[in-house]
Amino acid sequence: MTNSVVISGSGLWNPPHSISNEELVDAYNAYATQFNQQNADEIESGSVTAKPLSSAEFIQKASGIRSRYCYMKDGVLDINRMRPAIPERSEEALSDQAEMAINAAKLALEAANKSADDIDVVIVSCAYTQRSYPALAIEVQEALGIQGFGFDMLVACSAATFALHRAYEMISAGTAKGVLVINPELTSPQVNYCDRDSHFIFGDVSTAMVVEHADTATSEHVFDILSTKAVTQYSNNIRSNFGYVSRANDVDPYGADKLFHQEGRKVFKEVCPMAAQHISEHLERHELTSADVKRWWLHQANINMNSLISKKLLGREATLEEAPIVLDRYANTASAGSIIAFNLHHKDLQAGDYGLLCSFGAGYSIGSLLVRKR
Ligand code: CO8
């Protein structure tokens, strides 16, 4: 028995609906124009601020995003609603996020050559869960027929990598034989589609990975997890105040501060150097340099952030083959971005090639895994 822990399969599921920048901007601008007309007198007197217009060109240039998937397109582009219309399901029905989780989990199990019997831990880890209890992970466990235990984890942008860290530790310690880490990122209900500065940032997606012992792995593409590294540093620059205490605060539980909001410029400036330093230190632990890494599966929030981080690491711009970009099609999918990049860009690596998965964002939180193809 070796001591190796591996990623043996991954799954990626996206909703059937996608929204282009142009569609999103047309709806937002129609909403903003209507708002400004309806509030013309207040805007004139200075008691209400006019809504500025958005632009598809700005979004692409400032973020690299061209489109995003949306779990439910209905409602998002309706200027009298400006939020997805997701019908409530009964308590007996599978919940929306559990369904998203299962869609990705099945694909990961298939890629890993595993069945429910091979898994004994389910971690559902993402930026938001649609309810507090029972845990989504336990609902998913039941639906997939898995024996063992499950729990939910929330670490915003680093939910996926931090959950993979937990999986790695459980397999190393011998307390689990197979861990399913699932990230059903249903971000759209938390997006403020009335806010010009953030209406374009997020997309919905679900990803999953199987982590197990190398001795039980039988799939075609197996990656040794050589080590993990995490850091957190408190920051208010990315924040959502949504929570159950709002009921007792006698405030609007869906006010603008209860949705995603950020100081995007500050995040950019502060997180890029933190992430580059974190990655360098992680590689140094293995006496490796950035030049030794064949593939960078980086967090997908902003193309300019990834370009700056890779320049700091490599001393030059990384090629798309070295550091794939998926946010153009998926947008920022909270913690799932680096997992999507891995899912779509890992099969071409050769035995012995190093790869690095890294998330960075709200918290702040940074999580990385150094892996090597078997
Ligand atoms: N259209 C046209 N103009 C715009 C728009 C728009 N949509 N938005 C802003 N502008 C204007 C601004 O008003 C500003 O005008 P002026 O110069 O006249 O004041 C100008 O464009 C430049 O604005 P910024 O300086 O804000 O633009 P940036 O170049 O900084 O780009 C970004 C803005 C894209 C937001 C950029 O700052 C960024 O990406 N920063 C990093 C953000 C980041 O990574 N955030 C992390 C997100 S959190 C996360 O990943 C998970 C959180 C949990 C999940 C949440 C689910 C909902």
Side-chain angles (χ1 to χ4, degrees):
M1 187 109 161
T2 62
N3 213 11
S4 295
V5 180
V6 301
I7 294 169
S8 55
S10 70
L12 164 63
W13 177 85
N14 54 257
H17 319 285
S18 86
I19 300 179
S20 69
N21 286 349
E22 289 71 20
E23 283 176 286
L24 196 71
V25 165
D26 283 352
Y28 170 84
N29 284 348
Y31 156 80
T33 304
Q34 175 178 271
F35 176 93
N36 292 342
Q37 281 164 357
Q38 286 172 348
N39 294 279
D41 293 344
E42 292 83 350
I43 292 168
E44 177 76 26
S45 72
S47 60
V48 169
T49 309
K51 293 266 177 201
L53 295 187
S54 186
S55 121
E57 296 71 43
F58 169 87
I59 295 170
Q60 216 220 295
K61 190 160 175 285
S63 70
I65 296 165
R66 289 172 186 269
S67 64
R68 71 281 299 138
Y69 288 99
C70 199
Y71 183 65
M72 205 59 86
K73 193 167 176 175
D74 287 353
V76 174
L77 305 178
D78 174 351
I79 67 166
N80 295 310
R81 182 175 171 89
M82 301 299 274
R83 60 187 194 279
I86 304 174
E88 188 177 39
R89 293 186 179 181
S90 77
E91 290 193 357
E92 285 65 45
L94 194 63
S95 60
D96 293 285
Q97 238 178 330
E99 187 176 307
M100 289 175 72
I102 289 165
N103 289 339
K106 284 183 175 165
L107 295 169
L109 287 170
E110 192 185 328
N113 239 342
K114 296 284 145 188
S115 69
D117 293 342
D118 302 310
I119 304 295
D120 50 5
V121 180
V122 177
I123 308 177
V124 166
S125 195
C126 45
Y128 300 93
T129 49
Q130 70 179 92
R131 63 164 186 268
S132 297
Y133 48 84
L136 287 164
I138 305 175
E139 188 181 3
V140 170
Q141 179 197 352
E142 157 84 7
L144 292 176
I146 291 169
Q147 302 296 314
F149 66 93
F151 59 91
D152 294 350
M153 266 178 76
L154 300 178
V155 201
C157 311
S158 288
T161 54
F162 277 39
L164 287 167
H165 292 181
R166 304 289 79 76
Y168 169 77
E169 285 159 358
M170 283 191 261
I171 302 289
S172 299
T175 54
K177 62 177 180 180
V179 184
L180 197 45
V181 173
I182 322 174
N183 327 103
E185 291 290 9
L186 182 53
T187 62
S188 54
Q190 260 281 310
V191 175
N192 186 351
Y193 290 103
C194 299
D195 174 37
R196 191 269 310 249
D197 290 11
S198 65
H199 75 123
F200 58 88
I201 296 180
F202 292 97
D204 297 330
V205 80
S206 182
T207 53
M209 277 189 168
V210 173
V211 179
E212 62 178 312
H213 201 279
D215 291 354
T216 57
T218 58
S219 66
E220 196 183 341
H221 301 284
V222 176
F223 288 82
D224 281 302
I225 302 176
L226 302 181
S227 69
T228 65
K229 182 172 164 65
V231 68
T232 52
Q233 183 182 302
Y234 188 65
S235 167
N236 264 332
N237 289 333
I238 312 168
R239 191 166 172 123
S240 160
N241 293 319
F242 180 77
Y244 74 102
V245 179
S246 292
R247 179 169 178 257
N249 293 148
D250 297 326
V251 295
D252 174 5
Y254 309 113
D257 75 297
K258 307 298 183 295
L259 304 177
F260 167 88
H261 55 285
Q262 69 167 354
E263 294 286 342
R265 275 272 136 194
K266 285 189 189 159
V267 174
F268 198 108
K269 277 201 189 124
E270 292 171 8
V271 169
C272 290
M274 257 181 91
Q277 187 187 343
H278 175 96
I279 292 170
S280 296
E281 287 171 5
H282 194 168
L283 294 175
E284 276 165 24
R285 228 203 260 166
H286 294 263
E287 297 180 354
L288 294 172
T289 69
S290 298
D292 296 312
V293 177
K294 186 92 180 177
R295 181 85 17 102
W296 307 88
W297 299 289
L298 298 179
H299 186 59
Q300 304 280 319
N302 179 303
I303 197 169
N304 302 318
M305 277 177 108
N306 289 21
S307 144
L308 184 58
I309 291 167
S310 60
K311 266 191 215 149
K312 281 180 189 288
L313 289 166
L314 292 164
R316 61 172 170 82
E317 192 98 45
T319 64
L320 285 176
E321 194 189 337
E322 290 168 323
I325 293 294
V326 301
L327 60 84
D328 51 346
R329 182 168 145 210
Y330 290 87
N332 183 340
T333 50
S335 78
S338 59
I339 314 297
I340 302 174
F342 176 93
N343 178 279
L344 296 175
H345 302 278
H346 70 278
K347 291 187 178 160
D348 59 317
L349 292 188
Q350 304 296 310
D353 284 346
Y354 291 102
L356 190 115
L357 268 155
C358 187
S359 63
F360 37 86
Y364 298 135
S365 58
I366 303 185
S368 55
L369 291 96
L370 179 66
V371 303
R372 188 172 51 205
K373 181 105 185 242
R374 282 220 148 208

